[in-house]
């Protein structure tokens, strides 16, 4: 259903919360956790694990599909939240739905958040979990070729960056990745080359201003903005990347850069499918699966995974 005038007016009003993210990011974290409580554990199978990474451990939560196979395939999931908010609890229901809708085990990564842990801390956490799962198939009984990276928004950025790191470090190489409205570029001001930053950057919940604030909190120094692991679209070489499925939302400021990343991957010789979800806002993937955009997204994901 298209966004009508009343809905547009409501979205516009909700898109300008009077809050300084850089000063109040901890309050935003609390608000997001309250608005996305964990699912009732009576209705799904999940358990927690931890992966060593340097001087700390990275928590992960493993969700089994309702009708799990003896050795199900794996979706390694990196959550969104602008690298600053979100965790395995706030994405608990999303991962539960993902496991059941795909019939695959979902491994959700609770990577460290900025600004306490700026770039590349969260990325290194995601890479450490991927490395353990890809290199040790005894952990979950799944071969490396049956593991797919998945991420939404900042998590899509992290999934793309993990794939680049994996190729460059030569330790493993994912076969497939699903990037859901990923952040791939480094500039979301009016100087951005992407029209969606201006056309969708003020009235559709996620604003361009908010994306800029997230990136400022995520980076540890200004030079990070030019790092392809920070902004994958800046990578000079995008060859030898996984088969990629990219979803963008019609009314999302990140729409055009996500699609541009897909085209760059395609030009570099990779297999890519780009899907723009009509009448969708940034964050739609966390809605209940009865919503038509979510339902269609899972249909396309399952088609992609079955290839």
């Amino acid at each position: 259903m298209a966004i009508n005038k009343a809905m547009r007016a409501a979205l516009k009003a909700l898109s300008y919360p009077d809050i300084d993210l850089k000063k109040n990011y901890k309050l935003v974290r609390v608000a997001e956790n309250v608005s996305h409580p964990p699912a009732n554990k009576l209705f799904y199978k999940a358990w927690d694990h931890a992966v060593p990474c340097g001087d700390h451990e990275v928590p992960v939560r493993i969700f089994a599909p309702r009708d799990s196979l003896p050795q199900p395939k794996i979706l390694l999931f990196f959550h969104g939240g602008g690298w600053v908010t979100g965790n395995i609890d706030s994405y608990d229901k999303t991962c539960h739905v993902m496991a059941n809708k795909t019939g695959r085990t979902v491994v959700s990564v609770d990577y460290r958040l900025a600004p306490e842990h700026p770039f590349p801390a969260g990325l290194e956490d995601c890479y450490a979990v991927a490395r353990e799962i890809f290199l040790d198939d005894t952990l979950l009984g799944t071969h490396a070729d049956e593991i797919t990276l998945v991420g939404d928004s900042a998590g899509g950025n992290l999934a793309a960056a993990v794939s680049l790191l994996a190729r460059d470090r030569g330790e493993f190489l994912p076969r497939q990745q699903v990037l859901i409205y990923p952040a791939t570029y480094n500039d979301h001001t009016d100087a951005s080359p992407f029209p969606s930053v201006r056309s969708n950057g003020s009235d559709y919940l996620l604003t361009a201003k908010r994306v800029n604030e997230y990136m400022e909190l995520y980076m540890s120094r200004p030079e990070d903005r030019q790092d392809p692991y920070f902004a994958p679209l800046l990578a000079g070489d995008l060859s030898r990347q996984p088969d990629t499925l990219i979803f963008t939302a019609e009314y999302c400021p990140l729409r055009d850069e996500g699609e541009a990343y897909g085209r760059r991957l395609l030009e570099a010789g990779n297999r890519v499918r780009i899907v723009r979800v009509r009448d969708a806002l940034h964050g739609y993937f966390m809605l209940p699966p009865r919503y038509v955009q979510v339902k269609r997204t899972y249909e396309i994901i399952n088609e992609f995974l079955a290839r």
Side-chain angles (χ1 to χ4, degrees), residues 66 93-102 284-299:
R66 186 180 296 113
K93 289 181 180 178
T94 299
C95 291
H96 165 51
V97 169
M98 195 185 314
N100 286 333
K101 288 295 182 182
T102 64
Y284 80 86
F285 190 64
M286 295 185 74
L287 294 172
R290 66 178 180 273
Y291 282 82
V292 63
Q293 292 92 343
V294 182
K295 181 179 180 181
R296 181 57 180 153
T297 295
Y298 275 114
E299 290 173 353

Side-chain angles (χ1 to χ4, degrees), residues 69-265:
L69 300 173
Q71 294 183 337
K73 299 177 182 181
I74 290 174
L75 303 180
L76 178 56
F77 180 71
F78 309 128
H79 68 76
W83 309 278
V84 174
T85 68
N87 54 42
I88 53 177
D89 286 334
S90 63
Y91 271 78
D92 197 87
K93 289 181 180 178
T94 299
C95 291
H96 165 51
V97 169
M98 195 185 314
N100 286 333
K101 288 295 182 182
T102 64
R104 302 198 172 204
T105 295
V106 174
V107 179
S108 180
V109 182
D110 204 12
Y111 57 87
R112 289 171 294 172
L113 299 177
E116 296 92 340
H117 305 283
F119 175 83
L123 173 58
E124 291 293 351
D125 285 355
C126 293
Y127 183 86
V129 175
R131 183 182 184 277
E132 177 173 282
I133 294 176
F134 273 88
L135 297 184
D136 187 354
D137 59 11
T138 65
L139 291 174
L140 294 170
T142 303
H143 189 270
D145 285 346
E146 297 176 337
I147 303 169
T148 300
L149 303 186
V150 184
D152 69 321
S153 193
N157 168 285
L158 291 167
V162 166
S163 292
L164 288 171
L165 268 178
R167 179 201 63 190
D168 296 344
R169 292 180 178 177
E171 295 184 291
F172 62 92
L173 191 63
R175 188 174 67 87
Q176 291 182 316
Q177 62 180 355
V178 179
L179 312 180
I180 303 168
Y181 36 78
T184 65
Y185 197 55
N186 64 355
D187 184 0
H188 300 86
T189 67
D190 286 341
S192 169
F194 299 112
S196 64
V197 170
R198 292 174 289 279
S199 62
N200 297 336
S202 59
D203 296 338
Y204 300 101
L205 299 183
L206 177 67
T207 65
K209 176 178 179 291
R210 179 57 57 90
V211 178
N212 278 321
E213 291 174 331
Y214 279 135
M215 285 200 155
E216 288 173 8
L217 289 169
Y218 181 44
M219 68 184 186
S220 55
R221 55 180 186 165
E223 292 81 1
D224 289 341
R225 285 184 179 269
Q226 305 306 316
D227 192 317
Y229 303 135
F230 183 94
L233 192 54
L234 299 179
D237 178 10
L238 285 175
S239 64
R240 295 195 302 118
Q241 288 300 279
D243 292 354
T244 302
L245 173 60
I246 295 178
F247 291 96
T248 64
E250 182 176 2
Y251 297 105
C252 173
L254 305 179
R255 183 193 69 201
D256 293 349
E257 67 190 74
E259 294 174 1
Y261 190 63
R263 291 191 294 270
R264 284 281 318 282
L265 287 171

Side-chain angles (χ1 to χ4, degrees), residues 30-44 46 48 61 63 87-97 286:
V30 172
E32 290 199 5
N33 289 343
V34 170
S35 63
H36 297 100
N40 190 324
K41 289 182 170 54
L42 293 176
F43 299 105
Y44 69 94
D48 291 339
R61 183 164 296 159
F63 298 80
N87 54 42
I88 53 177
D89 286 334
S90 63
Y91 271 78
D92 197 87
K93 289 181 180 178
T94 299
C95 291
H96 165 51
V97 169
M286 295 185 74

